[in-house]
Amino acid sequence: MFVSMRPLLLAVLLLAGCRPNDGGTQTPQAGERGQTTTADSAANALLERADAGRIQGDTAAPVWIVEVSDFQCPYCRMFHEETYPALQREFIRTGIVRLAFVNLPLQMHRNAQPAAEAAMCASAQGRFWPVQDAIFASQERWANIADPAPYFDSLVVAAGVNAAEFRDCIQSGTIRRLIAADVGRAAGVDIRSTPTFFVGDERLNGAAPIEAFRAAIQRARAARPPG
């Protein structure tokens, strides 16, 4: 099945729909404009850092892969453990693929949303990928915790995230705008399950093996216009 990946690339590369003024906030009064503008600028900067931090690979890589994932999904963890290391070794580190992560925390997974918030706040500090590794590796330990916040706090700090900045990010709720934009754009291309991938414009559903990615990457490279 082939579905254009462009709406999801826009979710990763643009912040439209994620701005702090979205959601019907009131226009500030004259005396509040300077303070509000400063707050908006700080929130925008955080979102831009988080957005950029969940992309890895050479900027000149000929193939994009967009991964739509849920941190509590066992099949997403299966992909991360069984396929992602080979994908990284063969295609990302060699400059062939650029990989972007898009969040789709499913309602059936009670702690998927706080896991996504933890990962994206870590992304604002340039630590998305090591925190992603740690979250998936410990999925069974946090999946059914009534309040996973302290666990994620300890996990990200152990991964090298500044604790004070991370806690400010979580408490502000700003990062939820970026996650909500991810969810909306995934729905816009009819993604209802995780993991789902776009390799170029080709869609792969489920925890596909590395062989499926090799073939899809080859097709994506062959489909590129010459020059």
Side-chain angles (χ1 to χ4, degrees):
M1 181 177 184
F2 291 82
V3 179
S4 176
M5 71 185 286
R6 290 183 180 86
L8 282 173
L9 276 181
L10 290 175
V12 174
L13 300 174
L14 300 176
L15 291 172
C18 306
R19 298 294 182 182
N21 281 337
D22 288 353
T25 54
Q26 296 180 349
T27 302
Q29 299 299 315
E32 300 172 343
R33 291 178 190 269
Q35 181 177 356
T36 303
T37 300
T38 300
D40 288 354
S41 296
N44 287 344
L46 183 145
L47 291 173
E48 288 168 4
R49 293 195 306 271
D51 196 30
R54 39 90 172 265
I55 301 170
Q56 66 170 311
D58 193 322
T59 57
V63 178
W64 271 96
I65 294 180
V66 176
E67 174 187 355
V68 184
S69 188
D70 171 328
F71 282 108
Q72 196 172 339
C73 166
Y75 297 102
C76 297
R77 183 184 64 180
M78 182 186 301
F79 162 80
H80 186 78
E81 293 177 348
E82 298 180 4
T83 304
Y84 173 68
L87 188 67
Q88 213 182 27
R89 182 176 61 252
E90 295 180 28
F91 298 107
I92 298 173
R93 292 175 184 164
T94 57
I96 296 170
V97 161
R98 201 168 188 209
L99 175 67
F101 187 100
V102 173
N103 295 281
L104 183 57
L106 301 174
Q107 292 184 355
M108 63 189 286
H109 295 145
R110 59 184 291 176
N111 289 334
Q113 175 70 24
E117 292 177 21
M120 296 309 295
C121 281
S123 186
Q125 296 188 40
R127 300 295 293 170
F128 175 85
W129 296 102
V131 167
Q132 178 211 223
D133 293 343
I135 289 176
F136 276 126
S138 60
Q139 187 186 82
E140 292 182 352
R141 293 198 289 275
W142 57 260
N144 295 310
I145 298 176
D147 178 13
Y151 184 89
F152 290 136
D153 187 280
S154 298
L155 182 148
V156 301
V157 171
V161 172
N162 178 279
E165 292 181 17
F166 173 78
R167 291 162 192 161
D168 286 346
C169 176
I170 292 292
Q171 291 169 9
S172 74
T174 301
I175 208 68
R176 295 173 194 161
R177 302 174 189 270
L178 192 53
I179 297 168
D182 284 358
V183 172
R185 287 179 174 84
V189 290
D190 197 32
I191 295 176
R192 302 181 184 182
S193 63
T194 56
T196 296
F197 304 89
F198 288 91
V199 182
D201 282 345
E202 180 176 351
R203 180 167 173 166
L204 296 179
N205 295 317
I210 189 60
E211 291 79 10
F213 282 93
R214 288 176 183 141
I217 290 166
Q218 184 177 1
R219 288 190 290 269
R221 297 184 74 180
R224 282 174 56 87

